């Protein structure tokens, strides 16, 4: 009976507004009454902004009481409406769990991409403005072991790491943070981490200035410490790959290495050059369109360069807004190198490269 009622209600909503939910049909009215409201999302109000570095802004949000909370190290998707379109990007929570517990607030440190579409909007946000956010997601969280822990962060990779360290109340073993920066002026969240190091003898903060210490020197120094530890890595893709390769080359097992990566790592086939292209078909509104896909680019990039406009969000395989149906052909996951099947399945355009001729339904 419940299933029948649910199907009947959905059919009624579709009849009224061509939407699976009546809320979507009434969305403009609901948003007028409750700014920032989106079905399946949570409302958050901006209470403060501050510049952590010249290109990283910190947003402090007061969250809806409905928001279910987070585990330090997780991220949320933030959605803004701009020029009639909803844009979504993921950001790691950088504040301590105690801020959420005591005040119902979280902070996000967002690195600005001046040529991007989303992050240049953030400095324009005003105090009191309402945003839409998702529930917390991700499994890059710190399960404090008996072994000592080494955190390695670079750039905006410090944000989930700082949340984990600043949230820890009971320290069971020694912890070292290697923070790779280009000068202290570009080190976000440095002040609270330095304060933590001053008051906690089990926490050791090591800064590495890339203007002084080369990447090779940094890697050599990392490998000189005891390697029977747990390693938590977060930062740019190439930095992550280099550190992981060095650790595994020194007999650190994959089980000891925990990673959070902000962008897919490009992986080309061994027999392909960046000039190789594959003829493929995109089906749009039932009509086929023949395009060529460079094997060295994501399907999303290639589709956009061919004048198509597929849906997208984070552009790094996190938010699943670019999921579409692959009718036939094979793709490669740019993050892991894993190959898909050859038949019909759902894929993410932003982290998939073509391997064979494709038929894709947008």
């Amino acid at each position: 009976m419940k299933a029948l009622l649910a199907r009947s209600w959905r059919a009624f909503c579709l009849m009224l507004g061509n939407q699976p939910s009546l809320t979507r049909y009434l969305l403009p009215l609901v948003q007028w009454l409750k700014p920032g409201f989106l079905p399946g999302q949570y409302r958050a109000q901006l209470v403060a902004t501050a510049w952590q570095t010249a290109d990283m802004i910190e947003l402090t949000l007061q969250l809806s009481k409905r928001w279910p909370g987070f585990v330090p190290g997780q991220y949320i998707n933030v959605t803004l409406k701009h020029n009639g379109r909803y844009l979504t990007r993921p950001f790691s929570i950088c504040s301590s769990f105690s801020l959420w517990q005591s005040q119902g607030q979280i902070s996000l440190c967002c690195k600005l991409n001046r040529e991007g579409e989303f992050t240049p909007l953030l400095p324009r946000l005003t105090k009191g403005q309402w945003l839409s956010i998702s529930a917390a997601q991700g499994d890059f969280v710190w399960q404090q072991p008996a072994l000592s822990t080494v955190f390695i962060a670079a750039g905006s990779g410090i944000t989930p790491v700082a949340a984990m360290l600043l949230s820890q109340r009971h320290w069971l073993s020694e912890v070292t943070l290697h923070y790779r920066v280009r000068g202290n002026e570009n080190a976000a969240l440095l002040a609270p981490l330095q304060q933590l190091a001053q008051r906690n003898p089990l926490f050791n903060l090591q800064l590495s200035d890339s203007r002084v210490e080369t990447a090779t020197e940094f890697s050599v120094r990392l490998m000189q410490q005891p390697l029977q530890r747990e390693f938590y890595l977060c930062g740019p893709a190439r930095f992550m790959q280099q550190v992981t390769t060095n650790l595994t080359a020194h007999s650190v097992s994959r089980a000891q290495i925990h990673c959070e990566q902000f962008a897919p790592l490009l992986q080309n086939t061994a027999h392909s050059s960046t000039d190789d292209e594959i003829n493929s078909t995109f089906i749009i509104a039932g009509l086929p369109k023949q395009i060529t896909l460079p094997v060295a680019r994501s399907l999303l990039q290639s589709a956009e360069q061919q004048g198509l406009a597929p849906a997208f969000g984070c552009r790094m395989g996190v938010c699943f807004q670019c999921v579409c149906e692959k009718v036939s052909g094979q793709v490669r996951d740019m993050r892991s190198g894993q190959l898909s099947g050859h038949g019909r399945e759902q894929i993410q355009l932003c982290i998939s490269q073509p391997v064979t001729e494709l038929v894709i339904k947008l």
Side-chain angles (χ1 to χ4, degrees):
M1 178 59 72
K2 289 184 179 180
L4 177 61
L5 289 174
R7 287 197 300 270
S8 300
W9 175 251
R10 186 174 186 276
F12 176 70
C13 295
L14 287 168
M15 178 187 69
L16 285 179
N18 196 29
Q19 295 286 355
S21 169
L22 190 58
T23 303
R24 293 183 181 272
Y25 181 63
L26 300 174
L27 189 57
L29 175 61
V30 176
Q31 289 180 334
W32 181 72
L33 296 171
K34 300 179 69 174
F37 174 84
L38 278 177
Q41 301 287 301
Y42 301 89
R43 300 169 74 224
Q45 190 171 33
L46 181 65
V47 295
T49 61
W51 288 97
Q52 279 286 331
T53 68
D55 63 352
M56 183 176 286
I57 190 170
E58 182 178 4
L59 309 178
T60 300
L61 305 177
Q62 184 74 48
L63 302 184
S64 161
K65 293 182 179 180
R66 296 177 50 249
W67 195 68
F70 74 107
V71 178
Q74 290 187 310
Y75 65 89
I76 60 171
N77 289 321
V78 179
T79 299
L80 299 175
K81 191 174 184 180
H82 180 62
N83 292 336
R85 290 196 304 136
Y86 287 106
L87 305 175
T88 301
R89 295 293 184 275
F91 297 101
S92 293
I93 298 168
C94 66
S95 53
S96 69
F97 189 74
S98 62
L99 180 64
W100 156 247
Q101 279 187 316
S102 62
Q103 301 181 48
Q105 297 179 355
I106 60 170
S107 292
L108 310 173
C109 283
C110 312
K111 189 175 181 65
L112 302 191
N113 176 7
R114 303 294 181 182
E115 298 179 356
E117 188 176 21
F118 188 96
T119 55
L121 302 175
L122 299 180
R124 307 178 200 173
L125 298 178
T126 57
K127 183 178 179 181
Q129 188 166 341
W130 289 92
L131 312 176
S132 301
I133 66 168
S134 70
Q137 305 172 53
D139 55 6
F140 185 64
V141 296
W142 184 20
Q143 302 291 339
Q144 188 172 182
L147 290 175
S148 297
T149 304
V150 176
F151 289 91
I152 305 171
S156 57
I158 193 61
T159 54
V161 170
M164 288 188 273
L165 293 171
L166 298 174
S167 298
Q168 196 64 35
R169 294 183 177 179
H170 304 291
W171 295 70
L172 305 178
S173 57
E174 293 182 354
V175 175
T176 300
L177 167 60
H178 294 275
Y179 188 2
R180 182 84 166 155
V181 297
R182 187 172 179 81
N184 285 10
E185 67 275 14
N186 293 311
L189 302 167
L190 181 58
L193 291 170
Q194 289 176 326
Q195 293 169 7
L196 178 63
Q198 290 174 357
R199 67 175 184 265
N200 190 335
L202 289 177
F203 177 54
N204 179 25
L205 174 61
Q206 296 285 330
L207 288 177
S208 171
D209 190 336
S210 61
R211 298 175 301 185
V212 177
E213 186 178 37
T214 67
T216 300
E217 292 170 338
F218 176 65
S219 296
V220 169
R221 183 162 60 84
L222 279 180
M223 298 309 127
Q224 290 175 344
Q225 64 187 359
L227 299 178
Q228 292 74 33
R229 302 183 176 191
E230 296 288 318
F231 292 85
Y232 286 77
L233 282 61
C234 194
R238 294 192 182 281
F239 171 79
M240 301 274 286
Q241 184 183 51
Q242 291 170 354
V243 173
T244 301
T245 299
N246 288 335
L247 289 174
T248 53
H250 286 76
S251 302
V252 176
S253 71
R254 288 280 181 177
Q256 291 173 250
I257 304 173
H258 313 272
C259 297
E260 179 81 312
Q261 191 165 287
F262 287 113
L265 184 62
L266 184 65
Q267 298 197 23
N268 292 324
T269 57
H271 60 276
S272 298
S273 74
T274 55
D275 296 326
D276 288 342
E277 294 181 333
I278 294 175
N279 294 322
S280 295
T281 302
F282 278 70
I283 302 173
I284 307 163
L287 300 176
K289 180 179 177 63
Q290 303 294 323
I291 65 172
T292 57
L293 301 175
V295 298
R297 294 178 184 156
S298 73
L299 298 179
L300 178 59
Q301 289 175 313
S302 298
E304 290 175 334
Q305 289 174 354
Q306 295 281 346
L308 305 182
F312 68 89
C314 66
R315 304 184 76 94
M316 62 180 68
V318 173
C319 71
F320 292 90
Q321 291 194 40
C322 65
V323 169
C324 64
E325 183 179 7
K326 174 176 68 68
V327 180
S328 64
Q330 189 175 47
V331 298
R332 174 183 288 104
D333 188 314
M334 297 170 64
R335 302 165 300 181
S336 64
Q338 183 177 356
L339 297 174
S340 72
H342 290 273
R344 190 183 297 268
E345 60 185 303
Q346 298 291 307
I347 62 169
Q348 293 172 265
L349 294 177
C350 68
I351 49 92
S352 297
Q353 290 173 296
V355 176
T356 67
E357 184 174 334
L358 299 169
V359 176
I360 295 175
K361 187 177 181 180
L362 295 182

